């Protein structure tokens, strides 16, 4: 895997000062003239200093009082005092922003790791993915060369209003928490608007997801990644005109002009094909095609920022887990693998992962604000595939799951919590690790529990 | 997708109508529930998925299910279903139809989308929908006006406010939640066309409604099925929840 001219040419943009572009795409830097600081500028500088001070104070106080890691509150305080703080904190950094429905946190971990091959990198590794979370993360390492920031799909527009990241990754879009974030079309439109405000960013986007293609199609600088798309149900019709998309698995082309772009990076069953045609094995500690795709996004991002490909590849091969996702750990005295599945597309991926073993399976579904209160989506998932498995269900919506499994003719046991599930007589005879698939808040709680052990 | 020949008279065919347009909220679940409740009783059941790329709607099905979708998708669904007018003929011959959320608006006489534009519905139920001031989101409980159904439970998530006209009657009276947002009622029924805002999916949470629709399709009362304890517990849990 080597850099192509196209990818190498614009790596170091946004490195202080204003950058402009000639029609050729070449970039240079305008050094602002040094002059006496105006009163307004002094005030601005003082205000930024105060905001950072107060933000750090809030973070430390919150940590001392044991109110969690304190990250977001510090970011919130600092942002309230200086609304332009985010733009200032990234002014001397090269920033990669990661968004999409699934895989954001894992990909952000991978991106940060690959960037560390070339310098110090900061990231919102705990998944606080709105502006206050970004400010909080950036405050912890103000001198970092790079930042990898996961951003909530609907908050990307707020972010590009403030600055144009060097690289923007668009992973995928599918139905998720429909009672909370609105429908896919409006998410796609919002991302499209966000991209219109960032014409100088390099966009790296999923060529196999028609919703992502629509969001990125009009942007002047897109690198396309193709790794297949397991969940098709949100992409059967054109995101722009509603026409039925024939051959959504292949070279689809809509009457309105939207079409599948030619991919620059392709992910296959064993690895990736880089833009120069070279094939690279991707045997990763993280399982499945989905993580080969995530890794390829990370490598495309680091390539765009001129990180040496070989070093980046080694880094991405070393990622073992991302905020607990895919982690083998111990819960209630039993070895388990923690898997996050929060919507039909990610359940599909996780059921793929557990299909090749016969381990006991614990499914956990909550329906808090962050999960979405409507769990009708359970019926979009082919739980029929679990026939013959030992399944335990728990979480706030254990009964909805149990009814779903009843209709799928998959016998299950309803338990009061994961502790009880893991001690159930039906699985204590097995010495295999258990697979625990949990949705968002359920996963977060389990991850916190396992950290305390 | 499945276009099985109509050779076997005893197979009940359940049409999942344009799920590529109307199928946002687990709506496929209603088809799974109906098919499984038939199989458990010894009937043969087939789910016929009709995508919007089909020529037109097959008229040979015994039940038609329409789910929810976004504004643009709703309009596309109406124009698909107008082609050939097969749904109208099926309804005229007494076939059962269930429309959920966007499906309710599509089956109704008229709906106004978020952008203020008016659209004609299929007019199979006398119900008209306009956008409300805010989305109605949360658990919804009603007492059904159809015989033998009792309390209906589900989750609602809609901007539309619907008014039941003279040629239809409500599906239920609201116990908690918003429902149609007018006259304290929810849904609408004309003949064997049933419309509701209840997700869950509605037939998974409310087996009595599922069996009513099935008995219309089969043309005879159905044997009872054993209760599942988890379903009874789910109904009790969900009717306790507010908001
Ligand atoms: Zn189109």
């Amino acid at each position: 895997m080597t850099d192509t001219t196209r990818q190498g040419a614009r790596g170091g943009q946004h490195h202080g000062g204003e950058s402009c572009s000639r029609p050729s795409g070449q970039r240079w830097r305008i050094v602002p003239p040094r002059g006496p600081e105006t009163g307004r500028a002094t005030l601005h500088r003082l205000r930024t200093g105060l905001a950072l001070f107060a933000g750090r104070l809030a973070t430390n106080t919150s940590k001392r009082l044991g109110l969690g890691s304190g990250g977001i509150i510090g970011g919130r305080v600092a942002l309230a005092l200086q609304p332009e703080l985010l733009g200032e904190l990234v002014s001397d950094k090269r920033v990669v922003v990661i968004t999409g429905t699934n895989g954001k946190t894992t990909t952000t971990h991978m991106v940060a790791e690959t960037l560390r091959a070339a310098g110090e990198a900061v990231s919102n590794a705990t998944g606080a993915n709105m502006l206050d979370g970004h400010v909080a993360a950036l405050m912890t390492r103000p001198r970092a060369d790079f930042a990898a920031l996961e951003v909530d799909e609907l908050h990307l527009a707020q972010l590009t209003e403030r600055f144009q990241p060097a690289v923007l990754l668009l992973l995928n879009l599918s139905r998720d928490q429909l009672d909370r974030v609105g429908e896919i079309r409006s998410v796609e439109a919002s991302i499209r608007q966000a991209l219109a405000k960032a014409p100088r960013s390099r966009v790296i986007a999923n060529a196999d997801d028609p919703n992502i293609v629509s969001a990125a199609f009009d942007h002047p600088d897109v690198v396309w990644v193709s790794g297949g798309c397991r969940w098709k149900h949100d992409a059967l019709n054109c995101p722009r005109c509603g026409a039925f998309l024939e051959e959504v698995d292949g070279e689809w082309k809509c009457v309105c002009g939207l079409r599948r772009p030619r991919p620059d990076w392709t992910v296959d069953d064993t690895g990736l094909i880089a833009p120069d045609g070279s094939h690279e094995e991707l045997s990763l500690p993280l399982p499945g095609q989905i993580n080969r795709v995530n890794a390829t996004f990370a490598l495309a991002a680091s390539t765009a920022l001129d990180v040496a490909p070989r070093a980046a590849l080694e880094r991405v091969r070393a990622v073992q887990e991302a905020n607990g996702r895919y982690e083998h750990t111990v819960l209630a005295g039993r070895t388990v693998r923690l898997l996050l599945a929060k919507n039909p597309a990610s359940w599909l991926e996780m059921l793929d992962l557990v299909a090749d073993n016969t381990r006991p399976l614990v499914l956990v579904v909550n329906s808090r604000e962050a999960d979405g209160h409507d769990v009708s989506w359970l019926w979009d998932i082919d739980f029929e595939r679990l026939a013959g498995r030992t399944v335990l269900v728990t979480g706030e919506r254990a009964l909805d799951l149990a009814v779903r499994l009843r209709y799928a003719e998959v016998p299950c046991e309803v338990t009061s919590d994961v502790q009880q599930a893991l001690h159930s007589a039906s699985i204590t005879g097995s010495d295999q690790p258990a697979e625990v698939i949990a949705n968002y808040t359920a996963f977060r709680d389990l991850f916190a529990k396992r950290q305390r052990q | 997708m499945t276009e099985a020949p109509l050779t076997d008279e005893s197979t009940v065919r359940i049409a999942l109508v344009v799920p590529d347009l109307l199928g946002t909220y687990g709506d496929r679940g209603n088809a799974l529930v109906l098919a499984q409740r038939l199989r458990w009783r010894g009937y043969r059941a087939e789910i016929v998925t009709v995508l919007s790329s089909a020529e037109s709607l097959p008229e040979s099905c015994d039940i038609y299910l329409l789910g929810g979708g976004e504004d643009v998708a709703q309009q596309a669904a109406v124009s698909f279903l107008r082609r050939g007018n097969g749904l109208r003929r099926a309804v005229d011959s007494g076939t059962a139809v269930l429309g959920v959320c966007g499906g309710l608006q599509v089956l109704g006489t008229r709906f106004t989308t978020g952008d203020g534009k008016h659209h004609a519905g299929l007019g199979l139920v006398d119900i008209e929908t306009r956008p409300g001031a805010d989305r109605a989101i949360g658990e919804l409980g009603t007492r059904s006006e159809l015989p033998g159904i009792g309390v209906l439970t589900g989750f609602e998530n809609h901007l539309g406010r619907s008014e039941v006209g003279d040629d239809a009657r409500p599906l239920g009276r609201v116990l908690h939640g918003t429902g149609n947002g007018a006259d304290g009622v929810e849904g609408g029924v004309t003949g064997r066309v049933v419309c509701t805002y209840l997700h869950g999916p509605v037939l998974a949470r409310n087996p009595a409604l599922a069996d009513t629709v099935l008995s219309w399709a089969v043309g005879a009362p159905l044997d009872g099925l054993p209760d599942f304890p988890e379903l009874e517990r789910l109904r009790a849990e969900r009717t306790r929840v507010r908001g």
Side-chain angles (χ1 to χ4, degrees):
Chain A
M1 185 178 64
T2 52
D3 294 357
T4 61
T5 323
R6 189 177 162 210
Q7 244 119 29
R10 296 176 46 189
Q13 67 193 58
H14 314 310
H15 208 54
E18 292 278 333
S19 68
C20 304
S21 70
R22 282 187 202 144
S24 69
Q26 188 188 340
R27 271 150 205 282
W28 70 94
R29 180 178 161 199
I30 297 174
V31 180
R34 270 188 189 280
E37 201 172 57
T38 61
R40 189 182 290 269
T42 309
L43 205 61
H44 188 95
R45 190 168 49 77
L46 288 175
R47 190 172 181 149
T48 299
L50 177 70
L52 286 171
F53 175 76
R56 291 199 180 103
L57 188 68
T59 303
N60 292 337
T61 309
S62 162
K63 270 185 192 159
R64 259 203 312 280
L65 296 174
L67 306 171
S69 66
I72 299 187
I73 183 71
R76 204 167 289 162
V77 166
L79 256 186
L81 290 168
Q82 171 55 291
E84 289 162 49
L85 190 58
L86 183 61
E88 302 202 358
L89 286 170
V90 297
S91 64
D92 60 349
K93 283 183 196 10
R94 284 179 287 168
V95 181
V96 180
V97 161
I98 298 97
T99 198
T101 309
N102 291 319
K104 286 190 288 289
T105 300
T106 303
T107 308
T108 302
H109 272 250
M110 289 175 166
V111 169
E113 274 309 306
T114 57
L115 296 176
R116 282 181 188 122
E120 192 185 349
V122 62
S123 96
N124 53 338
T126 57
N129 64 11
M130 299 179 199
L131 298 192
D132 45 7
H134 300 145
V135 166
L138 291 163
M139 285 194 318
T140 61
R141 299 211 176 160
R143 281 182 233 298
D145 308 293
F146 300 101
L149 299 177
E150 162 184 345
V151 62
D152 177 81
E153 302 88 279
L154 284 173
H155 286 76
L156 184 66
Q158 280 185 24
L159 188 137
T160 57
E161 245 162 45
R162 286 164 174 82
F163 75 101
Q164 299 193 33
V167 180
L168 240 157
L169 302 191
L170 304 180
L171 302 176
N172 50 64
L173 279 182
S174 68
R175 59 187 70 181
D176 182 48
Q177 308 165 47
L178 288 167
D179 54 326
R180 193 177 69 93
V181 295
E183 293 152 332
I184 299 154
R185 296 290 175 269
S186 52
V187 179
E188 185 266 312
S190 160
I191 293 178
R192 209 190 310 172
Q193 281 165 6
L195 259 53
K197 289 184 215 131
R200 292 181 315 202
S201 298
R202 158 78 43 95
V203 174
I204 299 173
N206 188 335
D208 295 331
D209 183 327
N211 288 299
I212 290 290
V213 171
S214 175
F217 203 69
D218 302 323
H219 193 278
D221 183 11
V222 187
V223 172
W224 296 101
V225 175
S226 165
C229 188
R230 279 283 273 127
W231 172 261
K232 296 285 181 202
H233 298 277
D234 295 314
L236 294 170
N237 296 78
C238 176
R240 295 204 171 178
C241 72
F244 189 80
L245 293 178
E246 306 284 352
E247 286 184 86
V248 74
D249 278 317
E251 300 295 318
W252 55 270
K253 189 175 192 309
C254 184
V255 286
C256 72
L258 197 68
R259 59 180 164 74
R260 180 177 185 266
R262 204 170 53 80
D264 301 286
W265 299 71
T266 303
V267 190
D268 62 21
D269 293 344
T270 57
L272 63 82
I273 301 162
D276 65 356
S278 60
H279 186 271
E280 198 66 53
E281 289 281 316
L282 274 182
S283 47
L284 304 170
L286 299 190
Q289 170 74 0
I290 186 67
N291 282 308
R292 281 193 293 277
V293 173
N294 292 339
T296 301
F297 268 98
L299 293 168
S302 60
T303 300
L305 295 180
D306 294 328
V307 179
R310 189 59 47 192
L313 195 58
E314 268 168 40
R315 292 270 177 164
V316 90
R317 280 181 180 146
V319 174
Q320 302 270 353
E321 54 87 33
N323 238 14
R325 290 147 178 82
Y326 310 104
E327 187 184 50
H328 275 94
T329 185
V330 175
L331 267 177
R334 189 178 178 113
T335 303
V336 302
R337 177 164 71 161
L338 289 179
L339 299 170
L340 170 69
K342 48 185 183 152
N343 48 47
S346 55
W347 275 92
L348 182 63
E349 302 284 357
M350 294 310 127
L351 293 183
D352 280 352
L353 288 186
V354 302
D356 64 358
N357 66 53
T358 55
R359 297 171 173 186
L361 197 53
V362 180
L363 309 179
V364 200
V365 172
N366 282 350
S367 63
R368 291 179 212 165
E369 180 81 31
D371 302 306
H373 299 300
D374 185 0
V375 295
S376 300
W377 52 264
L378 287 172
W379 292 80
D380 285 326
I381 300 162
D382 283 322
F383 285 109
E384 286 78 3
R385 296 172 63 187
L386 298 180
R389 296 287 287 255
T390 305
V391 180
L392 299 115
V393 300
T394 188
E396 292 159 359
R397 304 309 289 269
L399 293 171
D400 294 83
L401 255 173
V403 170
R404 173 69 189 97
L405 292 172
R406 167 77 69 168
Y407 277 99
E409 299 191 310
V410 176
C412 72
E413 183 185 338
V414 180
T415 58
S416 58
D417 56 24
V418 171
Q419 168 109 5
Q420 198 197 33
L422 292 171
H423 287 150
S424 160
S426 61
I427 65 168
T428 44
S430 156
D431 55 4
Q432 296 193 82
E435 304 274 22
V436 178
I437 309 181
N439 76 340
Y440 187 71
T441 65
F443 184 93
R444 199 184 54 192
D445 292 353
L446 290 175
F447 181 54
K449 256 186 211 143
R450 89 90 178 79
Q451 280 183 314
R452 280 201 297 271
Q453 280 173 347
Chain B
M1 278 174 189
T2 344
E3 288 292 343
L6 234 195
T7 48
D8 193 342
E9 286 288 309
S10 67
T11 300
V12 179
R13 303 178 84 216
I14 300 158
L16 193 52
V17 181
V18 293
D20 53 315
L21 299 171
L22 304 175
T24 313
Y25 301 98
D27 295 299
R28 184 179 78 114
N30 288 320
L32 297 180
V33 167
L34 291 175
Q36 195 59 282
R37 295 184 79 80
L38 284 166
R39 289 186 193 121
W40 283 335
R41 290 176 165 109
Y43 288 89
R44 265 176 292 208
E46 183 192 0
I47 296 174
V48 181
T49 303
V50 186
L51 295 174
S52 66
S53 54
E55 289 273 295
S56 59
L57 190 72
E59 285 172 49
S60 52
C61 294
D62 302 292
I63 303 171
Y64 293 86
L65 301 175
L66 287 78
E70 301 163 41
D71 282 356
V72 179
Q74 264 178 234
Q75 296 161 47
V78 170
S79 49
F80 172 81
L81 290 168
R82 276 193 189 294
R83 227 183 291 153
N85 231 355
L87 193 59
R88 157 71 66 188
R89 282 193 294 279
V91 167
D92 288 345
S93 64
T95 307
V97 179
L98 175 70
V100 178
C101 204
L104 172 149
Q105 301 181 13
V106 165
L107 292 169
T109 49
R110 212 160 88 116
F111 60 93
T112 307
T113 39
D115 55 11
K117 292 201 176 110
H118 304 295
H119 306 272
L122 296 171
L124 298 175
V125 175
D126 189 5
I127 193 164
E128 182 175 341
T129 304
R130 297 185 191 81
D134 49 10
R135 283 189 92 79
I137 302 181
E139 290 291 332
L140 172 60
T142 68
R143 182 168 297 284
S144 180
E145 312 224 312
L146 291 181
I149 288 183
V151 171
L152 290 169
T153 160
F155 191 92
E156 63 180 329
N157 179 2
H158 53 103
L159 183 65
R161 299 294 185 270
S162 300
E163 204 171 323
V164 179
D166 294 338
D167 293 335
R169 58 189 166 134
L171 175 61
R173 304 234 146 243
V174 174
L175 300 172
H176 61 92
T178 302
N180 291 358
D183 310 319
V185 299
E186 198 286 315
V189 184
T190 296
R192 288 177 172 177
V193 183
V194 177
C195 293
T196 181
Y197 278 114
L198 293 163
H199 303 147
V202 60
L203 300 183
R205 285 226 204 150
N206 302 285
L209 181 61
D211 287 350
T212 297
V213 172
L214 286 177
S215 67
W216 292 341
V218 171
L222 295 164
D223 300 336
L225 286 176
D227 289 339
F228 328 139
E230 69 274 21
L231 181 52
E232 289 310 305
R233 282 172 63 197
L234 175 67
R235 284 176 56 78
E237 175 191 281
R238 290 294 115 197
T239 43
R240 271 198 314 271
V241 175
R242 295 291 179 273

